[in-house]
Amino acid sequence: MAGEGEKERVRVFGLWASPFSLRVEWALKLKGVEYEFVNEDFLTNGKSAELLHYNPVTKKIPMLVHGEKALAESLVIVEYIDEVWSDGYPILPKDPYERAQARFWARYAEDQCLPTTYAIYTSPEEEVEAATKAAQQCLSTLEEALKGKKFFGGEKIGFLDIAVGWFPIWFRMIEEIVGVSLVNKESLPLLDAWFDRFLAEELVKGTCPPKEKLYSFNRARREQIISGKIHAKK
Ligand SMILES: N[C@@H](CCC(=O)N[C@@H](CS)C(=O)NCC(=O)O)C(=O)O
């Protein structure tokens, strides 16, 4: 229901290199909600007092601060945005079964596809092929949710597109820096075509992190992980 909450100040505490921050920004942009982006550069500056104040539990970004109400966990935040600005662009399907399905696949992608794909990025060369095959297997199951559709949400971007929208950006980066082909016309044709469609959306084009910066940051990070200088967090 439209209410006072819609008029309150909206801030997103995020990080330029975070796929999870993008989910929150995409949801707000689809709704046409104005917000301030606070770049929480904890990689160089440590965590700010404000982040620790608003999110003492996980201490992670992204965080949505709406008025004085603070929320963590990107997909929880996306659902909150959909409910508060309910008159705007619909993110979750209206039908309860379709809504549950969108949540199910988002959970599947997060719990299964994220770690298997991240393993390609953190694997030494001799393990990359096996890691790629495992990720492809997981992603081919996710393709079920795309069958007969333009977007996971149907004709338009929906909750699941937002949940996995970082795949095209980050997977293309992993492919280049690791030297592997993960999603292509042969291995995952539906996902490959969706990558192109999703990346062509104005919403996405206007929010992608700068390519060179993202690639060089992750190239250096992968080298540090492989050489054991830093621990690969999941
Ligand atoms: N499941 C969380 C993941 C958030 C997350 O992992 N954020 C990372 C940055 S991409 C973070 O804040 N890391 C800091 C830390 O782990 O202390 C979400 O979807 O919001």
Side-chain angles (χ1 to χ4, degrees):
M1 201 182 85
E4 280 306 299
E6 289 192 1
K7 299 191 200 100
E8 285 173 303
R9 184 183 183 197
V10 177
R11 280 183 294 164
V12 178
F13 287 71
L15 177 68
W16 71 271
S18 165
F20 310 114
S21 293
L22 271 182
R23 290 172 172 164
V24 176
E25 291 197 81
W26 285 332
L28 289 169
K29 283 183 188 294
L30 283 171
K31 292 284 185 187
V33 176
E34 281 184 28
Y35 63 93
E36 297 156 44
F37 184 81
V38 182
N39 191 41
E40 262 293 325
D41 197 358
F42 58 82
L43 298 168
T44 29
N45 304 326
K47 290 178 181 171
S48 73
E50 242 184 336
L51 174 68
L52 299 175
H53 165 73
Y54 283 120
N55 184 7
V57 180
T58 68
K59 306 180 178 70
K60 289 188 182 191
I61 57 94
M63 280 281 311
L64 181 80
V65 183
H66 181 205
E68 269 309 299
K69 295 189 286 278
L71 271 172
E73 275 303 318
S74 57
L75 293 179
V76 173
I77 298 172
V78 171
E79 291 211 29
Y80 173 82
I81 291 169
D82 199 29
E83 285 183 29
V84 171
W85 289 276
S86 59
D87 290 344
Y89 183 101
I91 294 177
L92 275 148
K94 291 277 173 276
D95 175 75
Y97 180 68
E98 282 179 33
R99 197 156 63 235
Q101 286 291 94
R103 289 181 177 129
F104 167 81
W105 284 114
R107 176 77 65 86
Y108 173 82
E110 200 81 341
D111 292 352
Q112 311 291 327
C113 303
L114 190 160
T116 46
T117 314
Y118 189 58
I120 304 172
Y121 173 78
T122 57
S123 290
E125 224 176 303
E126 62 278 15
E127 290 166 24
V128 164
E129 199 183 325
T132 305
K133 286 213 170 86
Q136 284 171 334
Q137 206 163 17
C138 193
L139 292 167
S140 74
T141 304
L142 181 68
E143 273 196 328
E144 287 297 315
L146 250 185
K147 276 197 178 139
K149 294 187 204 162
K150 191 170 166 199
F151 293 102
F152 286 98
E155 279 304 298
K156 286 161 84 181
I157 288 176
F159 182 70
L160 188 51
D161 297 277
I162 292 177
V164 301
W166 62 278
F167 283 7
I169 304 165
W170 267 263
F171 288 9
R172 293 299 185 227
M173 183 243 339
I174 291 175
E175 289 175 333
E176 188 170 315
I177 68 178
V178 176
V180 74
S181 182
L182 171 64
V183 177
N184 57 59
K185 284 185 180 50
E186 281 73 42
S187 64
L188 296 152
L190 299 184
L191 208 54
D192 186 68
W194 173 80
F195 273 25
D196 291 343
R197 276 197 293 276
F198 190 76
L199 289 173
E201 288 287 299
E202 288 307 320
L203 169 78
V204 181
K205 283 198 277 190
T207 44
C208 278
K211 188 173 170 186
E212 275 320 308
K213 192 176 173 193
L214 186 73
Y215 281 37
S216 65
F217 169 77
N218 279 292
R219 214 172 249 124
R221 195 158 177 274
R222 172 171 152 77
E223 273 163 28
Q224 287 181 311
I225 291 170
I226 289 175
S227 62
K229 287 197 186 116
I230 59 169
H231 180 65
K233 269 196 195 173
K234 291 264 171 350

